[in-house]
Amino acid sequence: EVQLAESGGGLVQPGGSLRLSCAASGFTFGAYPMHWVRQAPGEGLVWVSRVSHDAAHTNYAGSVKGRFTVSRDNAKNTLYLQLNSLRAEDTAVYYCVKDSGNYGVDYWGQGTLVTVSS
Amino acid sequence: QSALTQPRSVSGSPGQSVTISCTGTSGDVGGYNYVSWFQQRPGIAPKLMIYDVTQRPSGVPDRFSGSKSGNTASLTISGLQSEDEADYYCCSYASSDTTFLFGTGTKVTVL
């Protein structure tokens, strides 16, 4: 059974930093690209970032490019998202999402809440 | 790039059918047969219901079906049941840079 467990969320002041983690199990983690998707309170889903299976390639939404960094450690079956220069509009639940391997995503974690407020 | 456009809400009585549209552009929905649909109940992570426009993952009832015409994809729920009440989001592969676009979301209410 595929399991994705995010951690690292919390309350941070504007301009601050946070590092999210996602522990994966139940599939060959190193064989799949992985994604982060966020959802602001009461709002819809927004794709944030992607990292290739071997971490050689990364992609970002324009709203986070230059501030967020996605990475992975295949030996530890763990995905990361470094959030820097945080803004109030970054407040959201951040989901770790598995790539389907065919131009889609399939399994989601339960999410971790990031709140940016003074 | 902007989110894909979905109606804010649709509703139907038990047993009826409802259809949710998802409108994009030739650069996303219209350009690829990689449209997915997700169901999200309050406080719960999204669940994949349809992938590759028409395909159902194992365990998803065949009451759920997908289709696409031009730049608009659709999700139809036939034989509506109370447990189908949730938010539904479409998702399309967009490009090697943007990667994925989600829809604005549609709340399905079972009357």
Side-chain angles (χ1 to χ4, degrees), chain A:
Chain A
E1 178 190 5
V2 172
Q3 293 192 343
L4 300 166
E6 303 91 338
S7 60
L11 175 63
V12 60
Q13 292 187 340
S17 297
L18 215 53
R19 188 197 199 199
L20 308 183
S21 298
C22 170
S25 62
F27 66 104
T28 306
F29 180 72
Y32 292 90
M34 293 292 294
H35 303 259
W36 289 98
V37 175
R38 70 183 181 184
Q39 185 172 34
E43 301 295 322
L45 301 169
V46 177
W47 175 82
V48 172
S49 181
R50 169 192 182 273
V51 59
S52 61
H53 69 97
D54 59 359
H57 302 284
T58 58
N59 303 92
Y60 300 93
S63 58
V64 308
K65 194 174 293 186
R67 300 188 299 122
F68 291 8
T69 302
V70 62
S71 61
R72 64 191 297 161
D73 185 335
N74 287 344
K76 295 182 178 179
N77 287 353
T78 303
L79 175 72
Y80 302 100
L81 186 67
Q82 178 70 39
L83 291 68
N84 295 333
S85 302
L86 282 162
R87 307 165 180 167
E89 54 265 35
D90 295 318
T91 294
V93 173
Y94 285 74
Y95 292 102
C96 166
V97 187
K98 174 184 168 293
D99 195 282
S100 67
N102 188 39
Y103 302 97
V105 295
D106 45 21
Y107 293 95
W108 299 60
Q110 288 303 305
T112 186
L113 176 62
V114 172
T115 303
V116 184
S117 175
S118 54

Side-chain angles (χ1 to χ4, degrees), chain B residues 12 18 24 32 41 49-50 68 72 75 88 95 104:
Chain B
V18 295
Y32 308 95
R41 296 192 175 101
M49 305 302 284
I50 295 287
K68 192 185 85 168
T72 298
L75 173 72
Y88 291 81
S95 72
T104 49

Side-chain angles (χ1 to χ4, degrees), chain B residues 4-70:
Chain B
L4 306 175
T5 301
Q6 297 180 232
R8 182 173 291 272
S9 64
V10 298
S11 62
S13 300
Q16 288 186 331
S17 295
V18 295
T19 296
I20 304 168
S21 60
C22 169
T23 301
T25 69
S26 58
D28 38 71
V29 174
Y32 308 95
N33 286 323
Y34 300 126
V35 177
S36 304
W37 290 90
F38 296 90
Q39 176 192 69
Q40 186 179 35
R41 296 192 175 101
I44 297 177
K47 174 187 175 183
L48 180 65
M49 305 302 284
I50 295 287
Y51 67 96
D52 292 355
V53 179
T54 62
Q55 303 302 300
R56 268 190 318 276
S58 60
V60 173
D62 60 7
R63 302 184 290 104
F64 292 84
S65 62
S67 63
K68 192 185 85 168
S69 177

